[in-house]
Amino acid sequence: MTGHVDRSSRTRHLRAMFEGPKIIRAIGAHDALGARLGERAGFDAIWSSGLEVSASHGVPDADLLTMSELLDAARWMAGAVTLPVVADCDTGYGNATNVAHMVRRYEAAGIAAVCVEDKRFPKLNSFIPGRQELVPVREFAGKIEAAKNAQQDPDFLVIARIEALVVGLSVDEALKRGRAYADAGADAVLVHAKDADPALVLEFLDRWTSPLPVVVVPTTYFRITASELHAAGAKMVIYANHGLRARVRAVSETFREILRTDGTAAVENRIAPLETIFELQGVEELRAHDATYLRSDEPRSRAVLVSPEIRSDATADDHGPAWHRALRERQTRSLRQGGVDTVTMVGCTAMPTDASPEPTGARTVWHDDVAGLLDSSVGDEEVTLLVAGDMLFDSRLISRLLANDHHIVVAVHRRRPGDVRLPVRAATSVRLAEVDPRERLVDLAAAERVTEIVASRAGEPAEADADMIGLLRLSSQGIRMIRDAAGRVPMPPTGPRDLRTALSLVLAQGHPVHYLDCPGGWAEVTPDEASAHELVGR
């Protein structure tokens, strides 16, 4: 998603660039994603490439697609970026009457400029051997006049594309055609060529005396730079199909590697992470829009992810900032996929000077107090998950926990026969309610209650029924219970006021604490600090 951009502002911007001192660099694309990648890379304009759009449909660039199909592609690109889009309109889809209709449609779609070539309809791509026929100069000049008379925005540009060099004619013929098109009202001319040597193009630029700007497309004479072309007199350089060609090679290599290795592990570090795709799609803008306008009786949800401290001297080998960022990206993704609306990162000490940036859509705050983790301003309909920062949870487990409607729910691993203690560092043990099966028929929730938070020392087994796995669900009322209980705990000389003590006080005050048995769907990762464990009852 992208913000609305005034169409006329883009046409004005493109015209201003043509009148300015710098060369304009345009990149070819065939869809909105390619246009966004071009904008992110720093190009000045997007070229809606007829070759790329045709190839994306699996057909030759030979006027096989209709104007509507090519217009739809250009419209999607214009809607996805703030850059001006220049549309490759082949021969104008017919005669001068068709060209006038085309200009009205493209202008209405927010396209800043159209480029029409002086070949006979149906055209064939300039680099394909075969029929390459030009229309008479007079006929094409009529198309340019019709195009200019049809436009409504005075800043809209019509570029006349000269194919004389492509069909083997002389530079003199190219110059003659260019001057005729300039007299017909074209805003710029594009001189096209297919030789590996740019000599003919450079000669055209050297002999071009009109003030009209010249556009070039160095697809085959790629060794020359944009700066060199600008020095020779070119005003715009179009890299017309490089995005498509790059995709084809990269995708083909990735597909072959997946089949060769019987999986994707070998390619994961060479392809874009899903977070990048979500960013390009505008997922965060979508979520912000939903949060503002969507109304529902369903409670909103947030997750408070308690992260272990990142040491300032940590390296990649001992889980430094880069490692933590990758971990937090995955944690955030699972939480979002499980139904969490917002994610807040919370550190246990002062923020390290080299802390890695938070994942897309997450924010970071720093506290040393369990009560401080839970914002008292949450809405009555909001659900909060308190999550250990060194655990990974399956999104389906998150969904199960969010669906539970009790005020305080701890996720636990209930011990099975043969279990002594869960092999999780600093795990907090709990005892569960013993309920007569007949009583469950009357009070189904009774069997889900925690009766005691068991104090135990590290490495010592505890007499208990289950172990907490670092995941807690709180309703707004549950938050108030926790905050009230935490407020009764004296601050120890060092370290935070921990959640396990607060939960014990909640139970002592007669409030119920429920549990969700999670035999699978979670895993511990190696922690750097124990402080996160203490805060979330691990």
Side-chain angles (χ1 to χ4, degrees), residues 374-395:
L374 305 173
D375 187 354
S376 59
S377 65
V378 296
D380 287 340
E381 297 302 318
E382 186 161 285
V383 173
T384 297
L385 298 186
L386 199 56
V387 186
D390 52 7
M391 298 293 292
L392 293 176
F393 296 101
D394 188 279
S395 59

Side-chain angles (χ1 to χ4, degrees), residues 309-383:
E309 180 183 359
I310 305 171
R311 303 194 314 273
S312 60
D313 61 343
T315 66
D317 292 335
D318 60 6
H319 306 157
W323 184 86
H324 277 267
R325 175 173 172 76
L327 171 61
R328 297 201 316 254
E329 290 281 3
R330 180 164 177 186
Q331 290 166 328
T332 301
R333 182 167 66 247
S334 294
L335 290 167
R336 290 295 183 80
Q337 291 174 345
V340 172
D341 295 306
T342 60
V343 179
T344 300
M345 304 291 177
V346 178
C348 305
T349 63
M351 182 180 238
T353 56
D354 63 345
S356 56
E358 59 260 350
T360 300
R363 62 188 179 90
T364 303
V365 295
W366 295 83
H367 276 288
D368 61 357
D369 182 343
V370 66
L373 304 181
L374 305 173
D375 187 354
S376 59
S377 65
V378 296
D380 287 340
E381 297 302 318
E382 186 161 285
V383 173

Side-chain angles (χ1 to χ4, degrees), residues 96-111:
T97 302
N98 298 95
V99 168
H101 174 66
M102 176 266 292
V103 166
R104 288 190 286 267
R105 293 286 304 278
Y106 273 79
E107 187 180 5
I111 309 305

Side-chain angles (χ1 to χ4, degrees), residues 374 378 380 382 384 406-409 472-485 499 503 506 511-512:
L374 305 173
V378 296
D380 287 340
E382 186 161 285
T384 297
H406 294 298
H407 295 306
I408 302 177
V409 185
L472 176 72
R473 178 196 189 276
L474 297 167
S475 69
S476 57
Q477 184 174 334
I479 288 176
R480 286 190 285 271
M481 294 176 187
I482 293 289
R483 287 178 61 84
D484 178 64
L499 185 60
L503 287 176
V506 166
H511 301 302

